[in-house]
Every structure is written in C-alpha cells, then in structure tokens.
Amino acid sequence: MTTLSVDNSAGTAKDIRNDVTNWQLSTPRAVQDVTGVDKSAMERILLLADVSLTLSGVFNAATDKSHDVLKTVPSTSVNRTVSLGVNGVSLAPEMLFTDYQLTRSDSGELTWSGPAVLADGTVPTWA
C-alpha cells in the first residue's frame, strides 16, 4: 500500500498506515428487480453506487496516529476523507465512521476496528 490516510475531526489528513494491519473495501451497486410477469429469468437495473470500508489495526496513542485520529468518532459527526492508494491507483471518498471499536484480547493485544460508509453522494471512482 502506498497511501492510507484518514482525516481527523478537524479535516486534516493523517497517515495511519503504520497502525493499520488490514482493511476491507466494498463498492457495491444497488439493484432493482424489474422482472415482468412475461419473463422466465430475473431482469434488473443498476441503481446507486456506494462504498464501505473497515479499517483494523494496532492501538497507537501517539499524536496523529490511529487513536488520535479515530478517538473523536463517538463524539463528532464529521465527514472524513479516506485516501487509499494501491499500485498507482487511488480512491478518496468522503466517509462517515460509524464506530471506533477497541478490543483487548486475553493474551494482551490491544487492537481497533473502524467501519465507515459513504457520506456525500459522490460516486466512488478509482483514479
């Protein structure tokens, strides 16, 4: 991964690649069933585009690292630009983080997870 930054609650991009251990991105399209009773198979049309993302990583409370960036998720309602760059292509949707989950395992690891969804109605487009 060449880039992975997330805006903090003030709108400033912060590089949190070092703390992220994995991520999952989905860019689904809604569909509408338009099958008439004269058909023997489904007919569908594409509707709105969407994007969802879950970042997961290792807890890091240092300034401008993952905890510093995501700790305001429960107390603020702000769009955050998430910039992903992989092998020369990039995606930078405006997203809403819906949770900031911390997990402490029985062996002592402290990890986090942050799910996010599209915020502003802009079609997610890889550049």
Side-chain angles (χ1 to χ4, degrees):
M1 163 141 329
T2 56
T3 61
L4 195 164
S5 64
V6 176
D7 283 2
N8 62 17
S9 60
T12 304
K14 301 297 178 181
D15 181 353
I16 62 169
R17 285 178 295 176
N18 187 61
D19 300 342
V20 175
T21 57
N22 62 71
W23 54 272
Q24 180 180 8
L25 178 77
S26 179
T27 54
R29 292 285 303 266
V31 294
Q32 180 178 350
D33 177 2
V34 294
T35 308
V37 295
D38 62 331
K39 298 293 189 265
S40 297
M42 299 298 294
E43 284 182 295
R44 295 181 181 95
I45 58 173
L46 288 174
L47 300 175
L48 299 176
D50 200 0
V51 63
S52 62
L53 172 71
T54 300
L55 299 175
S56 299
V58 178
F59 186 84
N60 183 350
T63 301
D64 293 337
K65 296 304 180 188
S66 59
H67 178 70
D68 198 32
V69 170
L70 298 173
K71 69 184 180 186
T72 57
V73 166
S75 60
T76 59
S77 300
V78 296
N79 294 0
R80 297 169 188 249
T81 304
V82 176
S83 299
L84 294 168
V86 180
N87 292 332
V89 296
S90 61
L91 182 69
E94 288 292 312
M95 304 194 82
L96 290 171
F97 278 81
T98 59
D99 199 359
Y100 174 48
Q101 307 160 354
L102 295 176
T103 303
R104 195 254 185 211
S105 73
D106 57 0
S107 59
E109 296 95 357
L110 183 57
T111 60
W112 58 268
S113 180
V117 294
L118 185 64
D120 66 352
T122 302
V123 175
T125 305
W126 286 94

